[in-house]
Amino acid sequence: MSNRPDLTALEILVLVAETGSLGAAARRVGMAQPNASRALARLERQLALTLVVRTPAGSRVTTEGEVVTAWAREALGAMDRMILGARSLAAEQAAHLTVAASLTIAEYLAPRWLARFRRAHTDLHVSLAVGNSGEVLEQLAARKIPLGFVETPTVPRTVASTTVARDELVVVVGTSHPWARRRTPVEPGELIAAELVLREVGSGTRDTLVRALERSGTPLAATSMELASTVAVKAAAVEGSAVAVLSELAVTAELATGQLVAVPVQGLDLSRSLRAVWLPERRPERTAAELIRIAKASK
């Protein structure tokens, strides 16, 4: 409504009823008396009522003014409760940051980011939810989190994003696999014909591979095994005859110890961007924005 009474005018009315003086009411709200008088007059015009009678001895509220004053006290009290509640929510939000990250980021990058973040914010509680990239995007769309980190080759148009790091997928096999001794690069057609063990649908790692294969003209066929964790995929490659495609971040230790062997591949671009994601209308501020800066600085 365009003719809603001004809250300051309501406060002046309540103070006039309490003090019997327009001048005292004006001083209480930090307003010059002529301005307070004009605010009351405007309130009376809006309500089409005479609320205050001004006399040489002071000011008093009319019978109608007493009724309106009671309602004004309720309105001002409700506004005070709203402001107090909003401040409490803001303080709670400032003291607790919840983010979500896809598995590779959560296991190999986020712990370092969060450790640096916590050193600067010892009084802030940080929660990290972990899932595949599809699940992180679902949580974001449902407004369960203000910020997420994903490894998918693309993100929905409804999501804003920024690249925080780069990653590369590598093809790895166990030491007993024939490819472990291979010197020539594997072609995309050979890769899709192999006994692949992959992450589940919705995984950013799997989506990156699928997208790369489609660009090469060799779409992924049915796989023999799908597993829901990077650890399980690595174990299957180490122990069996399966071929795995995983982030280089995830296999650094196994390559160093010789449990897994990296197989060169040609004709596939397996690089990818790791992104921070958020809803456009909930642009990261303060602590969330700082976490993004830390992630970018850790490249």
Side-chain angles (χ1 to χ4, degrees):
M1 291 174 60
S2 60
N3 62 341
R4 278 200 183 101
D6 180 71
L7 289 175
T8 301
L10 295 180
E11 188 174 2
I12 292 170
L13 176 63
V14 170
L15 289 171
V16 168
E18 292 176 354
T19 65
S21 168
L22 178 59
R27 287 192 295 274
R28 291 274 292 275
V29 299
M31 183 181 288
Q33 183 169 332
N35 292 339
S37 180
R38 282 192 288 272
L40 266 183
R42 185 166 56 251
L43 177 62
E44 289 177 321
R45 288 195 301 273
Q46 287 176 314
L47 301 181
L49 292 170
T50 299
L51 303 175
V52 175
V53 175
R54 300 152 182 86
T55 69
S59 300
R60 64 176 180 83
V61 296
T62 63
T63 301
E64 293 85 356
E66 289 177 354
V67 176
V68 174
T69 296
W71 290 335
R73 285 195 179 97
E74 293 179 6
L76 293 169
M79 180 60 67
D80 289 341
R81 289 191 295 275
M82 185 274 288
I83 293 172
L84 181 61
R87 286 175 179 169
S88 297
L89 287 174
E92 180 181 347
Q93 185 179 44
H96 188 180
L97 176 63
T98 300
V99 299
S102 55
L103 284 173
T104 300
I105 295 173
E107 291 176 356
Y108 302 102
L109 294 176
R112 185 166 72 250
W113 300 344
L114 294 177
R116 287 187 57 192
F117 182 81
R118 282 283 294 149
R119 285 197 293 271
H121 298 278
T122 56
D123 59 338
L124 184 68
H125 179 69
V126 183
S127 298
L128 176 65
V130 181
N132 64 37
S133 292
E135 291 167 343
V136 171
L137 291 169
E138 287 175 4
Q139 289 188 62
L140 194 68
R143 296 178 176 268
K144 294 181 179 179
I145 54 169
L147 178 66
F149 294 93
V150 297
E151 55 206 69
T152 49
T154 60
V155 295
R157 292 184 178 181
T158 54
V159 171
S161 69
T162 185
T163 298
V164 296
R166 299 288 300 175
D167 186 28
E168 187 90 19
L169 300 187
V170 292
V171 176
V172 292
V173 295
T175 55
S176 62
H177 193 282
W179 287 2
R181 293 170 295 280
R182 180 165 177 152
R183 295 294 177 262
T184 58
V186 171
E187 300 283 346
E190 293 178 281
L191 184 61
I192 63 172
E195 184 183 341
L196 283 173
V197 55
L198 299 177
R199 288 280 309 282
E200 78 288 357
V201 174
S203 157
T205 297
R206 182 192 180 111
D207 288 349
T208 300
L209 174 62
V210 169
R211 180 65 62 89
L213 287 169
E214 289 175 348
R215 287 199 300 265
S216 73
T218 50
L220 183 67
T223 58
S224 58
M225 192 183 306
E226 293 181 359
L227 300 174
S229 78
T230 301
V231 173
V233 172
K234 286 193 292 186
V238 168
E239 297 298 331
S241 58
V243 177
V245 183
L246 292 169
S247 164
E248 60 182 357
L249 296 168
V251 295
T252 300
E254 289 78 10
L255 292 176
T257 60
Q259 291 177 286
L260 289 174
V261 177
V263 181
V265 179
Q266 70 178 12
L268 282 182
D269 178 10
L270 295 177
S271 62
R272 62 178 176 176
S273 298
L274 306 182
R275 296 181 175 90
V277 291
W278 63 89
L279 296 179
E281 65 271 22
R282 300 181 70 188
R283 186 171 182 82
E285 298 180 354
R286 299 187 302 275
T287 53
E290 183 174 349
L291 181 56
I292 293 175
R293 287 194 293 271
I294 288 173
K296 288 185 173 183
S298 301
K299 288 182 182 179

